[in-house]
Amino acid sequence: MKAHDGMYIGGTWRPAATADTIAVVNPADEQVLAHVPAGTADDVDAAVRAARAAFPGWAATPPADRAARLATLRDVLAARQGEIAETVTAELGAPPKLAGTVHAGLPVLVAGSYAELAATYAFEEKVGNSTVLHEPIGVVGAITPWNYPLHQIVAKVAPALAAGCTVVLKPAEDTPLTAQLFAEALDEAGLPAGVFNLVTGLGPVAGQALAEHPDVDLVSFTGSTAVGRRIGATAGGAVKRVALELGGKSANVILPGADLARAVAVGIANVMSNSGQTCSAWTRMLVHTDQYDEAVALAAEAVAKYTPGDRLGPLVNARQQQRVRGYIEQGVAEGARLVAGGPEAPRETGYYVAPTVFADVTAEMTIAQEEIFGPVVSILRYEDEDDALRIANGTVYGLAGAVWGPQDEAVAFARRMDTGQVDINGGRFNPLAPFGGYKQSGVGRELGSHGLAEYLHTKSLQF
Ligand code: NAP
Ligand code: MG
């Protein structure tokens, strides 16, 4: 597969500081696809300097012109959708259909939303005798994960550019080829040199150097809570802005009166999609005790459609495969009942995990508390709504969730949930709705105008 052997810094692909490389592996067949340079602190420093040098010019560019660049970016991403989907399938293992619609399609939508927001956002407002200016924060260090390789990048870079910030991106080591395509797309869109810069590399080397760089004004991170906590501490020590999109353990609450078959089928599909590697996945299904057995039977039926190697892709790497299989073993050991799947790998080659459903899961079990990040659903039983709420809110996370039932009751329940986003009766995805976590699921919001506001700070002028 095509790969650049340099870093995209200051508007050109230039050689990395060292000759070290990272092998990119196809998780479906375990073959090496390409190599990309492993960046060091020197590469990060060069990229931050380029971003700093470009900042005054980009910040002073009228919002309408920034909007025009983003609209061109949207068009380039749309024109290259097929190539992007193939790359995501190769380096993440996403089934082609999912890669085309979600992995390559969603970024077009989000880039387009920021082309519009850049043109319409109120960067200036009147408050009594003051004029409040919303100004770009400066140089953004963006660190992204592999699970939605392009979406996670666009959800940071598009609002940052709309705001007038410049960016250095350190993408996940498992999915750098998609990030290189994104750099190509911005280059093709005619973004001025240095406004966007890419350093591929390892988290504890390039990622850490970016998070600690004194000339980065805001660090925006998506990934694990463990790394997020460190990045937050580093940013706090330096008194700089930080945005953290971390893990989740979302609840899918099925109230009596819900369309049970649909709630279960959509709930299973929600977790199986992307092999369960979605931070907002509804991995805990909560069912009233009267409907419990029926729901378990429906779940076993629904999950049977997800054949590994066909509708269900592999996990991203061997380490994640081992980690998820370990959680399944732990679920069995703690007394949960396997209804489908299990710890054995379903295919000899590729980092596949069997689509797995556990019944008789209690709220304290490890599999009901920790983020598994694999195709594993736990079905929990509740006695009444207060019990359901206690279970739904009973983790350290609060990223997303779902409620099914008569609309008024479902909304009343959702209001009591400690979580950042709730889908009511299978509500449709909205790219303008703020996305982000309560509790340890993170700090800050992405998408829409709330996502744009993260990259701005305010100045008040009094008259
Ligand atoms: P991770 O280590 O948190 O990776 C996220 C990003 O941070 C990657 O670009 C990573 O680089 C980088 N990174 C790692 N250590 C760093 C450090 N010390 N300083 C700065 N940056 C650093 O996540 P992971 O290891 O890929 O996945 C582990 C678990 O995280 C998953 O099982 C899942 O539970 C969770 N996760 C959550 C999300 C989400 O969307 N909320 C996404 C992915 C993973 P490398 O790629 O080189 O490691
Ligand atoms: Mg990692």
Side-chain angles (χ1 to χ4, degrees):
M1 197 145 226
K2 189 184 85 179
H4 290 276
D5 60 3
M7 306 299 186
Y8 184 74
I9 294 176
T12 55
W13 293 94
R14 59 163 89 160
T18 73
D20 293 348
T21 61
I22 297 170
V24 188
V25 173
N26 182 332
D29 64 13
E30 306 182 24
Q31 300 299 306
V32 173
L33 288 163
H35 289 85
V36 298
T40 61
D42 287 341
D43 297 297
V44 168
D45 192 55
V48 172
R49 282 169 197 274
R52 176 59 60 194
F55 176 64
W58 186 244
T61 300
D65 295 352
R66 300 202 299 258
R69 284 301 125 230
L70 286 162
T72 311
L73 170 68
R74 172 201 60 208
D75 295 344
V76 175
L77 292 176
R80 300 184 67 172
Q81 207 164 327
E83 186 188 354
I84 290 166
E86 276 169 31
T87 305
V88 175
T89 292
E91 64 181 355
L92 179 66
K97 194 173 158 212
L98 180 77
T101 53
V102 177
H103 288 288
L106 184 54
V108 175
L109 210 61
V110 174
S113 75
Y114 281 111
E116 265 177 47
L117 275 164
T120 55
Y121 195 82
F123 288 101
E124 226 180 282
E125 61 177 319
K126 290 257 183 258
V127 179
N129 62 311
S130 302
T131 295
V132 179
L133 309 179
H134 297 272
E135 300 183 331
I137 283 184
V139 174
V140 172
I143 301 173
T144 55
W146 41 263
N147 63 336
Y148 290 88
L150 187 56
H151 170 69
Q152 305 282 24
I153 290 171
V154 173
K156 296 188 190 306
V157 177
L161 298 184
C165 292
T166 57
V167 180
V168 176
L169 169 67
K170 203 302 279 180
E173 68 188 79
D174 290 301
T175 54
L177 302 179
T178 308
Q180 290 190 340
L181 282 184
F182 178 70
E184 284 183 12
L186 277 172
D187 193 79
E188 204 179 322
L191 198 71
V195 173
F196 170 81
N197 308 275
L198 171 68
V199 176
T200 51
L202 301 178
V205 183
Q208 194 165 329
L210 184 57
E212 289 176 350
H213 199 291
D215 209 25
V216 167
D217 299 298
L218 180 156
V219 180
S220 181
F221 169 83
T222 300
S224 63
T225 298
V227 175
R229 191 174 280 128
R230 288 185 53 176
I231 287 177
T234 302
V239 196
K240 68 172 68 162
R241 285 269 286 268
V242 66
L244 305 171
E245 292 289 340
L246 309 177
K249 193 71 196 173
S250 297
N252 180 21
V253 182
I254 306 177
L255 299 175
D259 178 343
L260 185 66
R262 180 152 177 265
V264 170
V266 174
I268 293 289
N270 172 280
V271 179
M272 294 303 142
S273 174
N274 214 40
S275 308
Q277 303 168 121
T278 305
C279 45
S280 57
W282 312 330
T283 50
R284 298 178 299 147
M285 189 183 289
L286 275 57
V287 182
H288 189 271
T289 188
D290 290 347
Q291 295 181 305
Y292 192 79
D293 293 339
E294 193 185 346
V296 169
L298 286 164
E301 196 183 304
V303 85
K305 288 191 298 230
Y306 293 89
T307 311
D310 177 25
R311 274 176 84 167
L312 188 72
L315 297 200
V316 70
N317 58 36
R319 193 172 56 92
Q320 285 298 110
Q321 183 197 32
Q322 286 315 319
R323 196 169 169 269
V324 173
R325 291 173 61 194
Y327 272 117
I328 298 173
E329 280 166 0
Q330 194 161 356
V332 173
E334 290 183 15
R337 171 165 60 98
L338 269 179
V339 188
E344 298 78 31
R347 287 169 75 97
E348 256 171 41
T349 309
Y351 309 125
Y352 291 91
V353 170
T356 297
V357 176
F358 275 112
D360 300 342
V361 178
T362 59
E364 317 70 50
M365 288 182 184
T366 306
I367 56 168
Q369 288 292 325
E370 296 185 11
E371 182 173 55
I372 297 176
F373 235 59
V376 182
V377 180
S378 294
I379 312 183
L380 294 92
R381 182 193 299 271
Y382 68 81
E383 302 296 330
D384 55 34
E385 277 198 23
D386 284 345
D387 191 29
L389 190 74
R390 184 184 55 80
I391 298 170
N393 288 339
T395 76
V396 297
Y397 295 115
L399 190 54
V403 186
W404 304 79
Q407 182 142 320
D408 290 355
E409 287 171 41
V411 171
F413 191 96
R415 284 181 185 278
R416 298 168 74 197
M417 290 170 82
D418 301 331
T419 194
Q421 197 167 88
V422 185
D423 289 359
I424 307 292
N425 288 320
R428 281 174 302 120
F429 177 76
N430 176 1
L432 295 176
F435 178 85
Y438 280 38
K439 301 192 283 185
Q440 289 181 33
S441 285
V443 175
R445 292 294 178 270
E446 292 195 317
L447 302 182
S449 61
H450 297 80
L452 177 51
E454 294 283 335
Y455 296 94
L456 297 165
H457 50 189
T458 54
K459 179 184 288 170
S460 316
L461 309 180
Q462 279 63 248
F463 296 90

